[in-house]
Amino acid sequence: MSVVEQYARAHIVTDEDITEDPAVRVVLRYDPETDPRSVRVGLPGPHEWTLSRSLLERGLRAPAESGDVRVWPCGRVQAVVEFHDEQGVSVVQFESKTLIRFLRRTYMAGEPVRR
């Protein structure tokens, strides 16, 4: 089993005035040995979130929610992932094809065989 790691460009959605490109580099990570049902999303700084692969997959087709994470399609080519914690809310907008490509790679990596 191999770890799947993919870097993606995403947009942090904010109500602040931003004069530069709002795109940030995000790391998407899947480790089938550690947690075969979850993926991690690493935002800039010390922000890393864990969510289930199935939540991410469902959220690409229709609004889905589990605990502190919400995912929903935004138009035909984008998806939004919303993370809640004690500091507030982080809203991140991705191109759907990026998330689909990542999910495909995680399924191709397989899950560990339980003995």
Side-chain angles (χ1 to χ4, degrees):
M1 301 301 127
S2 61
V3 173
V4 175
E5 191 168 274
Q6 178 176 317
Y7 291 90
R9 287 176 49 91
H11 294 274
I12 304 294
V13 179
T14 178
D15 58 359
E16 297 176 13
D17 288 334
I18 298 177
T19 56
E20 56 193 55
D21 183 10
V24 295
R25 189 173 175 183
V26 174
V27 63
L28 305 169
R29 184 175 170 80
Y30 170 70
D31 185 346
E33 293 293 329
T34 304
D35 190 353
R37 293 189 175 113
S38 297
V39 296
R40 295 184 175 276
V41 178
L43 301 178
H47 307 289
E48 184 174 83
W49 292 86
T50 301
L51 63 147
S52 74
R53 282 194 300 176
S54 63
L55 173 66
L56 185 56
E57 191 171 2
R58 285 190 329 264
L60 290 171
R61 294 185 305 271
E65 178 178 352
S66 179
D68 296 336
V69 181
R70 296 181 182 126
V71 183
W72 67 89
C74 181
R76 293 171 44 186
V77 297
Q78 296 179 329
V80 174
V81 182
E82 181 179 288
F83 303 102
H84 294 256
D85 66 12
E86 56 276 351
Q87 283 84 33
V89 178
S90 296
V91 180
V92 186
Q93 190 172 33
F94 292 90
E95 286 191 18
S96 296
K97 67 181 178 183
T98 299
L99 297 176
I100 291 167
R101 185 178 321 121
F102 172 69
L103 283 170
R104 267 194 208 125
R105 291 181 63 208
T106 69
Y107 287 111
M108 288 181 357
E111 295 185 12
V113 175
R114 303 284 180 204
R115 297 176 195 218

